[in-house]
Structure formats: C-alpha cells, structure tokens
Amino acid sequence: MNMKRALSYLALALGLLCAVPVGEVLFGLISPAFWMLIAAHVLTAIFGAAGFYLLTSEKKKMIRAGNVWWVFASAMCIAIPFWGIITAVVIYAIQGIAKKKPPPIVSEEIAVPGAAVFKKPLSKIRELEILERIDIEPFLDIFRIGRPELKKSAIKLLGSIRSKAAIKALGKALLDKDIEVRLFASGVINMIDDDFAEKIEEKKKICEEKPENVAAAVELAKLYLTYADSGLLDNIQSRYYYHWVIKLLAELPVSAETCYPMARAFNEIEEYNKAQECIDICLLANPFNALYNEMHCRNLFAKRQYTALYPVVKKMNDHGIEPVNKEPVAFWT
C-alpha cells in the first residue's frame, strides 16, 4: 500500500470518527455544546473530502481539481455530514466491489502533425492549405458521439485551425445537447471574432494615420476578405465587407496587387464582368501567376463560359502552373 492510499484511508477514518458525534446528536443520544457540533461538522467535511480526493485523484495530478468524487464528497459532507460521508463511502465501496470505480475527469488532447514532420520545409501558404484541407468529418463524429471533454478538445483544435470548414464544424458544436460544450464552442467562436475585430481596428488605424500607405490598405482589404470568407458572418454581413473591399481598393492606384483582391470581392457578389476586368489587369502584369489564373478559371466557370475556360486550364497544365486549390481546377478540367 503506497503512502497516498494510506493517507486517504486515514483521512476517511478520521472523517467517519468526527461524524460519530453528529450521528449521536441525530439519534438523540447526546447533547454536546453548539461549538463542538460545528467543529465536528467542519472536520467531517475536511477529512471526508480529503480522503476521497487522495483515493480517486490521478497520480502526479493531485493539485488539479478535476476529480468528480472529492467534489461530491465535499458537498455531501458539508450539507449532511453524518449521512453524507456514510453515503459516499457506501457508494464508493459498492462501485469498488463491482470493479467500476469512478474515474477522474481528464482532458483528452487531439493533435495533428506540424510542419516539421514533412520532408521539406513548407511555406506559410502551403501550411494554411494543409490546415484548410484537414478532414472535418471526424470532428463531426466527435460532436455526435464523443464525451464532453473530448468535444472540448476538438473545439479547441478547430479554433486554432480557423478555416471556413473548421468554423462551420464549430457551428455544429453550438447545437450540442451538453450546455458546457455549447458554451465552450460559443466562447471559441467569439474569441475568433474578437481577434478579427482587433486586427481590423489595428489595420484601419494604420490606414487612417498614413492614407498614402498602399500596402496597409491592401492588407486591410485582404483582412476584410478573410473575415467575409470565414463563415462567421451571414450572407448580408459578408456582402457588406465585400463592398468595403471594393470601395477601399477603388481609391488606390491600379495594379495587380490591388486588382486581385478586388476581383475576389466582385466574384463573391456575382459581378463577374467587373471581376474579369480586374483579372485581365492581373494577368497582363503576370500571365503565369497561379492565383491570377485560378481566379480567371473560377470567374469563367461562374459565368458558364466553359469554352473559354478550357484553354486557360490547358495553359496552366502546359506551363506547370500549380494552383493553390487543386480540386476545383481538376473538376473544371
């Protein structure tokens, strides 16, 4: 028997001993002074809770208040010291005989490989692409059948991914039957939204201080696009930010750097002809840029100009232009 278990049994024995005077009062056997009754009450609660905590808490994690049994024992001992500790001991003994001791609540972690596990270093864009393409289906399975702690770990990981698919999965967690899971998911979504708001305010402040700073304005426009594409907003709110992108970039000098995000915004609000004008400027500056060609394909597909789409895809294949999003281009092909 190790020291921890011996201490737990000793604490429980002391708790039962201190509960004896309380029991005697309940059965009308003695009438002690009021302060003695209160002292017995307090000592019963302290020793009973400590005994259960030591008996059922995890090794090396005793400081963590994560064990359900010491909380139960504390409540029982404080509320009804004699019957409380007797009930807790009986329940624990029955579960021990049935070999179903109450397990401690532990946090379960979900992890995905980082960039270091790949054979060659990844660019930031490539890392974001991998995060964007993480299969969300297992997370949805967790929200359907997983335990609350596992669901919280999944929510935490989805909050770090922050892709549109991840935020959509977080929306599923908002419908969970467990109120703690719903509140946790709501907190993560609000945190992501607050991060966007904080970054937008920082960029807006820079643009207001230096209106001639084209790079800062473009960064703000891209941030608006990311926010609108995130899945945090409804259609009306998203269109509002797309229009802000267009208004912001229209005041800047015409270049591929300003026209590409504008083309994305026009494409999202279904003004495809204006999007094509911006794309043409981008392609004139760099005809072999993967992002520009992919946006060109996306716009032609949205306009159902399939005859014009095929030569663009063929040009990308012939010149080895690798798109960021391969599946749509493969579908168009």
Side-chain angles (χ1 to χ4, degrees), residues 192-229:
I192 296 172
D193 194 68
D194 290 343
D195 286 347
F196 271 114
E198 184 178 343
K199 290 176 182 178
I200 287 173
E201 287 302 317
E202 288 176 0
K203 295 294 182 183
K204 285 175 68 175
K205 186 176 180 180
I206 294 173
C207 291
E208 290 171 359
E209 292 174 352
K210 297 181 178 179
E212 72 283 358
N213 191 334
V214 175
V218 172
E219 286 298 319
L220 177 59
K222 289 179 179 178
L223 190 55
Y224 280 146
L225 281 174
T226 304
Y227 189 36
D229 292 338

Side-chain angles (χ1 to χ4, degrees), residues 160 200 217 291 298:
S160 65
I200 287 173
L291 290 173
R298 189 179 301 278

Side-chain angles (χ1 to χ4, degrees), residues 62-113:
M62 291 167 53
I63 297 176
R64 291 176 56 184
N67 188 281
V68 67
W69 266 94
W70 79 267
V71 176
F72 169 76
S74 299
M76 294 291 283
C77 293
I78 291 171
I80 41 176
F82 178 74
W83 294 114
I85 193 167
I86 295 297
T87 303
V89 169
V90 170
I91 291 174
Y92 187 80
I94 291 173
Q95 290 186 327
I97 294 171
K99 297 182 180 180
K100 292 182 178 179
K101 290 186 178 182
I105 297 175
V106 296
S107 62
E108 300 184 55
E109 298 294 336
I110 302 174
V112 294

